[in-house]
Amino acid sequence: MDEKPFLEIDNLSRRFPSTEGGEPLTVFENLNLDIFKGEFVCILGHSGCGKSTVMNILAGLDKSTSGAVTMDNYEVSGPSLDQGVVFQNYSLLPWLSALKNVTFGVKARHPDWSKKQVLEHSYKYLKLVGLDDGAEKRKPSQLSGGMRQRVSIARAFAIQPKLLLLDEPFGALDALTRGTIQDELIRIWSGSDQTVFMITHDVDEAILLADRILLMTNGPYARIAESVVVDIERPRGRAEIVHDEGYYKIRNHLVTFLARRSKEMAGRLEDGVVVGQPVSVNPAKENLIKKEKTKTTPELVPVAS
Amino acid sequence: MLKSLNLRAALISITLLFALGGIWELATPKVKSATEMTEYEKLMGGADQEARVPPPSKIIKLAITELSDPFYDNGPNDKGIGIQIGYSLYRVLAGYFLAALIAIPFGFLIGMSPLAYKALDPFIQVLRPISPLAWMPLALFIIRDSQASAIFVIFICSIWPMLINTAFGVAGVRKDWINVARTHELGSLQTAYFVILPAAAPTILTGMRISIGIAWLVIVAAEMLVGGTGIGYYVWNEWNNLDLTSVIFSILVIGVVGMLLDAVFAKVQRAVQYQE
Ligand SMILES: Nc1ncnc2c1ncn2[C@@H]1O[C@H](COP(=O)(O)OP(=O)(O)OP(=O)(O)O)[C@@H](O)[C@H]1O
Ligand SMILES: [Mg+2]
């Protein structure tokens, strides 16, 4: 791995003020995480644990209560074209055609480009997601859910962000469409040096796509409990991957976490306990727990008293 | 199916028009001879047949003569209907677009800033229910020009629906779309123009359509007050001449012009409408 992480999350906390003057809601506190350039990272966790909250802060759309996010040596202080977001609900502009939604992004990225350049570039990405056959002229309301999702992916990819943030991008799709778009996503990502941070609820999807899967405990006071390494060789075929030795070990590990451990591990840590980088786990290699180079010790260490 | 529905509806409309027109025509009493006149009628100037509600046939006849030469001008009290409508439209559009010029930017401000909304709301709530004609004396006193006062009255009556709808539309723009603008590093002017304006356009247009309707309602009354020119003055003048045929004719013209104005805005509204 590189010596310097591309994305550094440092002691990040997010609290929401309570509505009736009670305790504020702490979604997570003192979160630490490093992500390296070109990594494809998935995050798994139960609904409401705080995945979108983390992502919104990474996108610069939300502010953390304390702590900092550094990307490429600069602190993230607001949204920018370096962080491309595919929102959970597509967030296409409904008064623009699919094509115009993509050119909207391209024009913002390259204000100096000619009309022709903008169109060519936009079509390149619409073609990548298979939407260059006339469907691009239609408004989002006239497209199927899968097509809208693809427009949204094309828009995000067309601005070629350094960091791509995907919030359950395939949540509402049928298995077939989902498969197609997953393949497209991997193809586009592998041809670039982009870093991907993706939220998903689908264990198999995470194993198929990710280099690393982050497991988040239930909230409030959610933590990233583990970082599960998926070192199955790429390209990974949907049909072949299930025959990989490690596949079921990883899958079992993830399912067990979601079913049991996410709840057992939930809750606030004792005062004075500082959490470093999440523990790196490789279930495919005989559950060998390997410790990563980290800034702080990966285990829970009482602060010297 | 839809074609035949429209066709059937049109058929019923035409039948109704002819039926009601026919009843009206037949119900109009024949001209009374002078011996049959009541004392009151004698006092009122005798058997002037124009003083009673005329039958449709007379109105149609008048309409044909008026519309065949709508722009004649024989001095202050005898101008073609086209000229009168022209004056009214000029006042309505002048007042209306002045109002739009102010209402839409202010609506944006109010819609985007909760502080501006809270600060300006009391003013709007008090000013909005005032009948536009109540401003007339004040306008005449301050502006000292009847033409400009009529325009001011149109301005003041069309500003509120536009202001309120713009503010409402802007405030209701989905957070997601604003976030799309933010992730694409759009400045606030660009966000307003490329995201908020198109997102709020249907609501803004609804306000504009309501406003033009109100403006057209108010201009007739305003012109009755200020006099001189315009369709409102025309109605009043013909009433003073006891020319009821002309009164009814001009009422119909007011209706048709109002309908056309609304149709134009309906068309624009459809053009900016989008489906989520
Ligand atoms: N604006 C807000 N104000 C108050 N509480 C909030 C706000 N946004 C999120 N929360 C709370 O923060 C917690 C985490 O929410 P978040 O949306 O990050 O969950 P999530 O992991 O993305 O869930 P899902 O998988 O269902 O999308 C939830 O308990 C939620 O109620
Ligand atoms: Mg979420």
Side-chain angles (χ1 to χ4, degrees):
Chain A
M1 290 237 170
D2 306 32
E3 53 301 325
K4 185 111 177 84
F6 168 69
L7 190 73
E8 286 175 83
I9 299 175
D10 268 318
N11 285 315
L12 201 69
S13 306
R14 182 67 171 106
R15 286 176 241 281
F16 287 112
S18 68
T19 35
E20 277 128 29
E23 288 268 298
L25 170 73
T26 302
V27 182
F28 49 80
E29 58 180 7
N30 299 324
L31 199 78
N32 284 292
L33 181 69
D34 288 348
I35 295 177
F36 293 87
K37 191 148 193 75
E39 264 197 303
F40 196 126
V41 176
C42 280
I43 183 159
L44 268 177
H46 282 292
S47 179
C49 69
K51 305 180 295 294
S52 295
T53 306
V54 174
M55 203 175 103
N56 282 334
I57 294 172
L58 296 187
L61 292 169
D62 189 17
K63 293 248 176 290
S64 60
T65 311
S66 66
V69 176
T70 316
M71 185 171 82
D72 239 7
N73 300 321
Y74 288 99
E75 183 166 345
V76 172
S77 57
S80 84
L81 286 159
D82 286 335
Q83 301 119 287
V85 189
V86 174
F87 295 93
Q88 198 162 356
N89 52 7
Y90 322 142
S91 286
L92 298 175
L93 303 176
W95 56 89
L96 297 178
S97 67
L99 174 63
K100 289 274 170 60
N101 264 287
V102 179
T103 57
F104 177 91
V106 177
K107 274 188 214 154
R109 174 57 134 189
H110 305 284
D112 51 326
W113 277 11
S114 72
K115 258 203 166 83
K116 190 160 160 277
Q117 274 174 304
V118 169
L119 265 184
E120 265 171 21
H121 188 79
S122 304
Y123 264 105
K124 186 177 141 199
Y125 284 88
L126 281 164
K127 199 181 166 74
L128 275 175
V129 297
L131 277 180
D132 59 335
D133 55 354
E136 80 278 9
K137 295 274 159 60
R138 284 189 254 156
K139 299 270 170 75
S141 61
Q142 299 158 323
L143 297 173
S144 72
M147 290 160 118
R148 280 184 228 181
Q149 191 58 71
R150 284 186 273 169
V151 177
S152 164
I153 290 173
R155 180 177 66 187
F157 274 86
I159 62 169
Q160 294 163 307
K162 292 180 190 163
L163 174 65
L164 199 65
L165 300 160
L166 311 171
D167 195 345
E168 281 181 58
F170 314 130
L173 304 185
D174 66 280
L176 195 66
T177 318
R178 176 187 283 241
T180 318
I181 306 179
Q182 283 169 345
D183 294 346
E184 283 160 3
L185 173 60
I186 283 296
R187 200 174 68 225
I188 297 169
W189 165 75
S190 52
S192 70
D193 63 350
Q194 282 160 325
T195 308
V196 180
F197 183 90
M198 173 169 152
I199 296 174
T200 178
H201 275 134
D202 185 332
V203 170
D204 296 296
E205 178 174 270
I207 305 174
L208 182 70
L209 301 175
D211 294 321
R212 210 142 63 89
I213 300 169
L214 306 170
L215 300 177
M216 202 156 172
T217 64
N218 294 355
Y221 299 101
R223 281 173 293 126
I224 297 177
E226 285 175 7
S227 158
V228 177
V229 176
V230 183
D231 53 6
I232 300 175
E233 223 172 291
R234 292 181 194 268
R236 300 171 187 163
R238 206 172 314 282
E240 297 80 52
I241 195 173
V242 292
H243 302 302
D244 189 280
E245 291 165 52
Y247 184 81
Y248 277 98
K249 286 185 186 158
I250 297 172
R251 196 174 192 284
N252 284 340
H253 187 84
L254 301 181
V255 170
T256 313
F257 178 85
L258 286 178
R260 246 181 331 106
R261 294 174 54 228
S262 61
K263 197 159 118 213
E264 289 166 5
M265 296 177 78
R268 190 178 196 180
L269 297 171
E270 288 167 49
D271 268 349
V273 173
V274 168
V275 189
Q277 292 293 310
V279 183
S280 187
V281 181
N282 190 342
K285 300 236 165 80
E286 306 141 292
N287 275 341
L288 189 82
I289 295 185
K290 184 178 102 237
K291 282 164 196 168
E292 283 251 316
K293 287 182 288 176
T294 48
K295 283 179 289 188
T296 333
T297 327
E299 292 155 333
L300 314 179
V301 175
V303 164
S305 49
Chain B
M1 181 60 214
L2 195 70
K3 262 257 155 58
S4 80
L5 184 73
N6 286 342
L7 202 72
R8 279 184 293 167
L11 236 104
I12 294 175
S13 299
I14 291 169
T15 318
L16 267 175
L17 180 71
F18 276 98
L20 293 174
I23 292 170
W24 180 1
E25 182 81 38
L26 292 175
T28 313
K30 294 281 159 285
V31 179
K32 292 180 199 167
S33 68
T35 49
E36 287 172 293
M37 273 193 283
T38 61
E39 208 53 29
Y40 177 72
E41 280 169 331
K42 280 178 190 154
L43 279 173
M44 286 306 288
D48 186 357
Q49 59 188 66
E50 303 294 343
R52 63 181 98 252
V53 176
S57 54
K58 289 195 74 172
I59 298 166
I60 293 169
K61 225 178 281 163
L62 178 78
I64 291 169
T65 36
E66 281 286 345
L67 293 179
S68 58
D69 183 17
F71 298 109
Y72 73 87
D73 189 353
N74 299 335
N77 279 337
D78 192 11
K79 291 190 205 312
I81 188 90
I83 292 184
Q84 304 290 23
I85 289 282
Y87 275 113
S88 300
L89 276 179
Y90 159 69
R91 288 179 190 134
V92 162
L93 295 181
Y96 178 81
F97 281 109
L98 270 175
L101 223 60
I102 292 187
I104 292 172
F106 266 89
F108 256 78
L109 185 73
I110 296 171
M112 286 170 95
S113 146
L115 178 70
Y117 176 83
K118 279 211 150 79
L120 293 177
D121 192 51
F123 295 99
I124 297 173
Q125 295 309 331
V126 169
L127 294 176
R128 190 171 60 121
I130 299 172
S131 161
L133 294 175
W135 293 97
M136 189 60 103
L138 197 61
L140 282 170
F141 176 74
I142 294 173
I143 305 173
R144 295 187 183 279
D145 177 78
S146 59
Q147 172 90 349
S149 299
I151 292 175
F152 173 77
V153 167
I154 294 304
F155 167 84
I156 206 82
C157 77
S158 39
I159 200 165
W160 308 117
M162 283 196 269
L163 185 69
I164 291 163
N165 268 272
T166 304
F168 186 72
V170 168
V173 173
R174 294 243 312 258
K175 190 101 199 301
D176 298 339
W177 301 335
I178 306 285
N179 279 345
V180 168
R182 292 179 63 204
T183 53
H184 288 89
E185 293 184 13
L186 262 57
S188 38
L189 273 181
Q190 282 179 312
T191 304
Y193 185 73
F194 289 113
V195 177
I196 298 176
L197 185 63
T203 322
I204 296 175
L205 253 294
T206 304
M208 294 182 78
R209 200 173 158 190
I210 296 171
S211 278
I212 197 77
I214 293 177
W216 191 244
L217 288 180
V218 167
I219 193 64
V220 175
E223 286 171 345
M224 283 179 176
L225 279 178
V226 296
T229 46
I231 190 75
Y233 169 72
Y234 181 84
V235 175
W236 199 247
N237 196 32
E238 297 303 335
W239 158 242
N240 286 333
N241 297 339
L242 284 181
D243 183 357
L244 277 179
T245 315
S246 291
V247 168
I248 294 176
F249 167 65
S250 44
I251 288 175
L252 290 176
V253 170
I254 292 170
V256 170
V257 173
M259 183 184 79
L260 292 178
L261 279 176
D262 187 64
V264 170
F265 278 85
K267 201 161 186 114
V268 181
Q269 196 179 22
R270 236 171 292 132
V272 299
Q273 198 74 45
Y274 58 85
Q275 222 184 337
E276 276 188 42

